Amino acid sequence: MSSVEIGAICLKLASWNVNGLRACLKKGFSEALARIDADIVCLQETKMERGQAQIGLDGYNEYWNSALRKGYSGTAIFSKLTPVSESYGIGAGEHDGEGRVITLEFDGFYLVNVYTPNSQRELLRLEYRMRWDDAFRRYVSGLDKVKPVIICGDLNCAHQEIDIKNAKSNMRNAGFTIEERDKFSALLDAGFTDFYRRLYPDRHGAYTWWSFMPGVREKNIGWRIDYFLGSDRLAGSVADALIYPDIYGSDHCPVALLLEL
């Protein structure tokens, strides 16, 4: 449902790591977006530039941030609302070549769509990831001083043991290291709320990513690494946070947020 009344007019935001938008378009992308029916759709890992495929989302304004490296990373936002301003990256040269962040400013809040770098196998990129996390936290904290912030996307971290199926066996794997989880905690401590966990603090099995290994998704052996976070002062305006595990087309599923205006 879009723009429904839940005590007030509600804005529906959706986020999805599509793991290659051109591939996802062939796997039910349009049908999935029609079902979710969001006012604003944020995508991560688009792996393309604007114009390389016919998206077919009528009525949406498009905003793209593609990586300098072809077929890699990238983010996009499709919005029925026209923002006050738009910006790309986080203002840090080390971090702004991979198309990982788009920020749209609306009257009442900033929307930050992010695809956080993966620390990779054997944690080869963990040191870079730590610098990224610090730089990103500084960036959104700066925005938060101006107006409330909503952060959505693939944050590449299962924050707590409840957010991953097999915690013990993944302790030193990318996305569940102590270092990454501590940086996630530091982001929350800077004045941000994990909206899904605030609403559903004890819900197990709420995952958004599954390995492509056979049977893993069917058995729900997954991780919750796709989020809607936001300024603490927005927490009371959140009507619901949703996960769509039955929508395929990617190794991630979409997530959504209902925000009362």
Side-chain angles (χ1 to χ4, degrees):
M1 61 186 70
S2 174
S3 297
V4 292
E5 290 190 1
I6 305 178
I9 294 178
C10 209
L11 184 68
K12 189 170 189 180
L13 313 175
S15 176
W16 194 6
N17 179 323
V18 290
N19 193 10
L21 181 52
R22 284 171 290 183
C24 193
L25 285 165
K26 301 174 183 178
K27 301 176 184 177
F29 174 82
S30 298
E31 294 79 5
L33 268 292
R35 171 184 163 187
I36 296 170
D37 191 20
D39 301 292
I40 303 175
V41 178
C42 297
L43 305 180
Q44 304 88 43
E45 207 171 357
T46 53
K47 297 183 180 179
M48 61 173 284
E49 298 178 6
R50 183 174 185 174
Q52 286 188 302
Q54 183 63 41
I55 310 302
L57 288 179
D58 295 333
Y60 290 86
N61 302 308
E62 299 182 22
Y63 307 88
W64 292 78
N65 191 8
S66 300
L68 297 177
R69 173 180 163 190
K70 303 296 184 183
Y72 175 74
S73 187
T75 48
I77 300 179
F78 298 83
S79 177
K80 293 180 180 178
L81 285 69
T82 302
V84 174
S85 68
E86 61 192 83
S87 62
Y88 302 87
I90 59 175
E94 180 186 15
H95 304 301
D96 286 344
E98 297 185 349
R100 293 187 178 274
V101 175
I102 302 174
T103 301
L104 299 186
E105 178 188 1
F106 296 96
D107 288 336
F109 61 93
Y110 288 103
L111 175 63
V112 179
N113 178 25
V114 58
Y115 176 38
T116 300
N118 190 295
S119 294
Q120 299 183 351
R121 290 181 182 273
E122 299 182 3
L123 305 179
L124 294 177
R125 217 180 186 197
L126 181 60
E127 286 189 16
Y128 171 75
R129 167 66 182 269
M130 297 295 96
R131 297 195 302 274
W132 162 277
D133 283 339
D134 289 339
F136 183 74
R137 186 177 65 254
R138 289 193 296 268
Y139 173 70
V140 294
S141 295
L143 295 178
D144 188 50
K145 293 177 181 178
V146 180
K147 63 177 67 174
V149 179
I150 296 172
I151 303 163
C152 71
D154 176 2
L155 297 185
N156 258 317
C157 179
H159 183 218
Q160 301 173 320
E161 291 192 8
I162 194 175
D163 297 314
I164 187 171
K165 179 66 174 180
N166 295 316
K168 290 183 179 180
S169 62
N170 282 289
M171 284 294 183
R172 287 307 293 169
N173 285 341
F176 198 60
T177 64
I178 293 297
E179 294 93 331
E180 291 163 308
R181 295 164 64 195
D182 284 349
K183 293 293 188 184
F184 197 111
S185 294
L187 178 58
L188 298 183
D189 290 343
F192 296 95
T193 296
D194 176 350
F195 291 136
Y196 188 87
R197 264 308 155 226
R198 181 179 184 273
L199 293 171
Y200 306 107
D202 302 315
R203 182 172 290 179
H204 290 260
Y207 306 133
T208 65
W209 175 82
W210 302 262
S211 163
F212 279 128
M213 293 179 62
V216 167
R217 189 157 181 173
E218 289 72 19
K219 296 175 183 177
N220 198 27
I221 303 172
W223 302 43
R224 188 172 73 99
I225 59 176
D226 303 87
Y227 297 85
F228 271 97
L229 311 180
S231 301
D232 290 343
R233 58 193 184 278
L234 285 177
S237 299
V238 173
D240 204 0
L242 309 169
I243 297 176
Y244 296 88
D246 59 333
I247 291 182
Y248 287 67
S250 169
D251 51 347
H252 297 249
C253 75
V255 295
L257 187 78
L258 291 176
L259 182 69
E260 292 183 349
L261 301 178

